[in-house]
Amino acid sequence: MKLLRNTLLETFVTVAECGGFSDAQFALGITQSAISIRIRDLETSLGYRVCERGRGGFRLTEQGEIAYQKARDMLRSARDFDAELLELRNAVTGDLRIGVVDAVSSLPGLNLAVALQRFLQRPNEVRLEIVVASPIDLTQQLISGELHVAIAPFRSLSPDLDYVELCAEEHRLYCSTSHPLFDRPAEDIGPQILSQYPLCQRTYDMLVSPDLGLPEPRAVVANMEAMAMLIETGQYIGPLPEHFAKPRVAQGLFRELASPELCWSSPFSLATRRAQVHRRAVELFVQDVQAACAAVSYD
Amino acid sequence: MKLLRNTLLETFVTVAECGGFSDAQFALGITQSAISIRIRDLETSLGYRVCERGRGGFRLTEQGEIAYQKARDMLRSARDFDAELLELRNAVTGDLRIGVVDAVSSLPGLNLAVALQRFLQRPNEVRLEIVVASPIDLTQQLISGELHVAIAPFRSLSPDLDYVELCAEEHRLYCSTSHPLFDRPAEDIGPQILSQYPLCQRTYDMLVSPDLGLPEPRAVVANMEAMAMLIETGQYIGPLPEHFAKPRVAQGLFRELASPELCWSSPFSLATRRAQVHRRAVELFVQDVQAACAAVSYD
DNA sequence: CAATTACATAAGAAATTTTCATGCAAATAT
DNA sequence: ATATTTGCATGAAAATTTCTTATGTAATTG
């Protein structure tokens, strides 16, 4: 159940994350004195102090900070290594670290909940981990091995990754009730009018529709909720996925500023690190996501 | 002194390499029965048998074969990881795995012996490992982490590697005493004449001078000694580094078929995996190689 | 200034790992 | 065919390692 891995390093990482020995007791399931000894042994073999501790407070030393990051990364790949060996007995096990962009849960065409359900119904011993981040961060984390799969509208494709297109996400521009444009008749709405109002944009990939000559964005966000909040202020117009804005539109809070030039969609893909074979868990999850997408498109 | 690493895996790898438990006793420094227990424990936690053994002979199982390769790779990176943490205390330690092409020892302009001497004179606890392979293999091994640095005439550059040019290697075409061309006057030698004789070429990068319209090579080799042997038969003409052929020319065994079109040189570079920072040992060795090259060029 | 918190340390207890002795089965020698 | 040797497995005792308990110390807090 744990082939690679090393108690000293695991202790160190846990201690660093707990911010001290006493909290780490519970995380590690051993006594404080055992932790004290382990850290002492680690420091002895490393030849330097990894953390300052005591009643005065806890903090990693300069070297400890670097060691911590390296150790954390190494333990992660050690776990993946374990899983690789264990999966040779045809088990499905190990970590499955999934990354997605935010506001993905309501995206029609990608039923992630169903995909997860399918996956979890298989016999497996997998430990799931789901993180939310921007496409750019997700790409980085895939390459570094922090993630196994990621689902996002990837704008720039990395040569180190493999992509499978899943579905498309429809985008529109929106404003809120308190915005001057809210009550303007639909025929008035066009690029020229829009360009006179402050625009809120996404940081990560400038997902607004192909060059509308819209003004420099006055605000940028990395999250759909945050985008919605800024639009809600009435100070900004901003792009949102249609599925995400829908409830607010239905409530009469938002208005879609839809002229033909302001409708666009971005393709959602699933990305994995380029490799001959993936871990069984990864392989199966990818299948399940694709199956879930296919099921949706038949509806 | 060993942070990551795991006794079970190390035992397994050593046993696999020794081809049995009894030989591995000496390699591991423990008794045969301890090995037996360790392998049993490993198999218990993996859930499958890694090797068939007994008086009937030793061999890895199908799963064991895969596990062995993964484990070997993993232990290698575990050692590198150890070295990274240890080098935070300003030590120079760990493995330094160097790859070169063959016949590099006599290359003027690259005094590898001096570079190694410089490196070894520094205070360090490094374990050296030097392998000889073709530029293509070296590139692969750098990318996979099997090697830390490689020195070779790299023809195609990988985006995953960093290159530093060191010096150039002069090449000429040669034939031996028993070859029909050996006694032809120098003014007869030209591409037209040469193209009538079988040519021996290198497998790895077709290092012969830029397109001479020479005939399809009749023999290929991946090693300078082998090239020299084939030329020595008198059946082939073939390219060799000038410095390598020199002793044989001096002995009157080879003749240089040197017309202006048949002189060319290939740049020798040092390659490392692209990374922000390298291990201290790697960094220092690269410096030493460059210093050794610079020293030569002042002579 | 007492109480508390966070860690260090010593000694014994517990758990793990190794060795030693021996057993067994297959291959080889007689 | 039988004996011997080789390669590994196993049980029990020994050795080593690791943990817990109990206690100590220093810095902070009330």
Side-chain angles (χ1 to χ4, degrees):
Chain A
M1 290 283 176
K2 74 174 179 178
L3 301 170
L4 216 57
R5 241 104 40 98
N6 168 290
T7 34
L8 298 193
L9 288 178
E10 283 185 328
T11 306
F12 172 47
V13 167
T14 305
V15 164
E17 282 164 359
C18 291
F21 293 10
S22 11
D23 281 2
Q25 286 183 89
F26 313 107
L28 288 167
I30 56 174
T31 60
Q32 167 268 316
S33 82
I35 295 176
S36 179
I37 294 167
R38 284 189 188 177
I39 296 292
R40 174 170 54 69
D41 290 351
L42 175 67
E43 289 179 330
T44 304
S45 54
L46 283 179
Y48 52 87
R49 217 170 157 75
V50 294
C51 59
E52 299 302 336
R53 62 265 193 185
R55 192 66 190 80
F58 178 92
R59 67 160 216 288
L60 296 180
T61 63
E62 203 176 326
Q63 293 159 314
E65 190 65 57
I66 301 169
Y68 163 66
Q69 286 171 18
K70 287 180 189 288
R72 189 170 40 72
D73 293 352
M74 196 64 206
L75 288 178
R76 190 157 36 215
S77 31
R79 292 216 303 222
D80 287 352
F81 166 80
D82 279 15
E84 281 178 29
L85 288 203
L86 286 169
E87 288 189 345
L88 290 178
R89 68 159 195 228
N90 281 348
V92 182
T93 184
D95 286 6
L96 178 57
R97 298 189 292 270
I98 304 167
V100 294
V101 285
D102 67 319
V104 92
S105 59
S106 59
L107 171 60
L110 170 70
N111 204 329
L112 203 53
V114 167
L116 284 168
Q117 196 181 6
R118 275 171 186 267
F119 181 79
L120 293 171
Q121 274 165 3
R122 299 173 180 278
N124 75 76
E125 306 158 28
V126 170
R127 194 180 71 92
L128 270 187
E129 194 175 319
I130 300 183
V131 307
V132 177
S134 73
I136 290 169
D137 288 350
L138 292 175
T139 299
Q140 289 249 305
Q141 294 181 33
L142 275 175
I143 293 172
S144 75
E146 281 171 80
L147 290 177
H148 296 118
V149 298
I151 298 174
F154 293 103
R155 188 45 80 87
S156 59
L157 305 185
S158 160
D160 296 332
L161 302 182
D162 280 326
Y163 299 89
V164 184
E165 198 164 323
L166 294 177
C167 64
E169 186 175 51
E170 288 293 320
H171 298 265
R172 302 287 184 274
L173 271 182
Y174 294 90
C175 70
S176 77
T177 39
S178 48
H179 194 277
L181 287 177
F182 193 81
D183 296 314
R184 286 285 275 276
E187 54 272 26
D188 285 13
I189 308 293
Q192 318 85 292
I193 304 285
L194 292 173
S195 66
Q196 293 165 21
Y197 294 96
L199 173 74
C200 180
Q201 187 55 287
R202 292 173 207 155
T203 50
Y204 52 78
D205 53 357
M206 296 298 126
L207 249 183
V208 85
S209 90
D211 254 347
L212 271 175
L214 291 177
E216 192 64 1
R218 300 277 191 82
V220 289
V221 299
N223 175 285
M224 296 299 176
E225 287 292 333
M227 174 72 82
M229 278 170 48
L230 284 184
I231 296 173
E232 230 164 298
T233 65
Q235 304 297 307
Y236 297 95
I237 57 175
L240 283 176
E242 210 179 16
H243 64 88
F244 183 79
K246 207 170 194 175
R248 288 165 225 256
V249 172
Q251 280 182 269
L253 296 172
F254 280 16
R255 173 188 173 173
E256 186 177 313
L257 301 168
S259 73
E261 308 97 314
L262 297 175
C263 298
W264 72 100
S265 79
S266 52
F268 254 69
S269 311
L270 179 150
T272 50
R273 187 142 63 153
R274 182 156 289 175
Q276 266 79 33
V277 287
H278 287 107
R279 294 236 330 279
R280 184 171 295 266
V282 175
E283 215 61 84
L284 291 174
F285 179 70
V286 172
Q287 281 175 29
D288 290 336
V289 170
Q290 290 184 289
C293 285
V296 167
S297 62
Y298 284 126
D299 289 351
Chain B
M1 291 283 175
K2 71 174 184 180
L3 301 169
L4 217 56
R5 240 96 51 91
N6 171 290
T7 33
L8 299 192
L9 288 179
E10 284 186 328
T11 306
F12 172 46
V13 168
T14 306
V15 163
E17 283 164 359
C18 291
F21 293 11
S22 12
D23 280 2
Q25 284 183 92
F26 312 107
L28 288 167
I30 55 173
T31 59
Q32 167 269 316
S33 80
I35 294 176
S36 178
I37 292 167
R38 285 189 188 176
I39 296 292
R40 174 168 54 69
D41 290 351
L42 176 67
E43 290 178 331
T44 303
S45 55
L46 284 179
Y48 52 87
R49 215 170 159 73
V50 293
C51 59
E52 298 302 337
R53 63 267 191 185
R55 194 65 192 81
F58 179 91
R59 66 161 216 287
L60 296 179
T61 63
E62 201 175 330
Q63 292 159 314
E65 190 66 56
I66 300 170
Y68 162 68
Q69 287 171 18
K70 288 181 187 287
R72 189 170 39 74
D73 292 352
M74 197 63 205
L75 289 178
R76 190 159 34 218
S77 34
R79 292 216 305 220
D80 287 351
F81 166 80
D82 278 15
E84 281 178 28
L85 287 203
L86 286 169
E87 288 189 346
L88 290 178
R89 66 157 196 227
N90 281 349
V92 181
T93 184
D95 287 5
L96 177 59
R97 298 188 292 270
I98 305 167
V100 294
V101 285
D102 68 319
V104 93
S105 59
S106 59
L107 171 59
L110 170 70
N111 203 330
L112 203 55
V114 167
L116 284 168
Q117 196 181 3
R118 275 172 186 267
F119 181 79
L120 293 172
Q121 273 165 5
R122 300 172 180 278
N124 75 74
E125 306 158 27
V126 171
R127 196 180 71 92
L128 271 186
E129 195 173 319
I130 301 183
V131 307
V132 177
S134 74
I136 291 168
D137 288 350
L138 292 176
T139 299
Q140 288 250 304
Q141 293 181 33
L142 275 175
I143 294 171
S144 75
E146 280 172 81
L147 290 177
H148 297 117
V149 298
I151 298 174
F154 292 104
R155 190 45 81 85
S156 59
L157 305 186
S158 160
D160 297 331
L161 302 182
D162 281 327
Y163 299 88
V164 183
E165 200 164 323
L166 294 178
C167 65
E169 186 175 54
E170 288 294 319
H171 298 265
R172 303 286 184 273
L173 270 183
Y174 294 89
C175 71
S176 77
T177 39
S178 49
H179 194 276
L181 287 176
F182 193 80
D183 297 312
R184 284 286 274 276
E187 56 270 26
D188 285 13
I189 308 294
Q192 318 85 293
I193 304 285
L194 292 172
S195 66
Q196 293 165 23
Y197 293 96
L199 174 74
C200 179
Q201 187 55 287
R202 293 177 205 151
T203 48
Y204 49 79
D205 52 358
M206 297 297 127
L207 247 185
V208 86
S209 89
D211 255 347
L212 272 175
L214 290 177
E216 192 64 5
R218 300 277 190 81
V220 289
V221 299
N223 175 285
M224 296 298 175
E225 287 293 333
M227 175 72 82
M229 278 171 49
L230 284 185
I231 295 173
E232 231 165 300
T233 64
Q235 304 297 306
Y236 297 95
I237 58 175
L240 283 176
E242 211 179 14
H243 64 86
F244 184 79
K246 208 171 192 176
R248 288 165 224 255
V249 172
Q251 280 183 268
L253 296 172
F254 280 18
R255 173 189 174 171
E256 186 177 314
L257 302 167
S259 73
E261 309 96 314
L262 296 174
C263 298
W264 73 99
S265 80
S266 53
F268 254 69
S269 312
L270 179 151
T272 51
R273 187 141 63 153
R274 181 157 288 177
Q276 267 78 34
V277 287
H278 287 108
R279 292 238 329 280
R280 184 172 295 268
V282 175
E283 216 61 83
L284 291 175
F285 179 69
V286 172
Q287 281 175 28
D288 291 336
V289 170
Q290 290 184 287
C293 286
V296 167
S297 61
Y298 283 126
D299 289 351

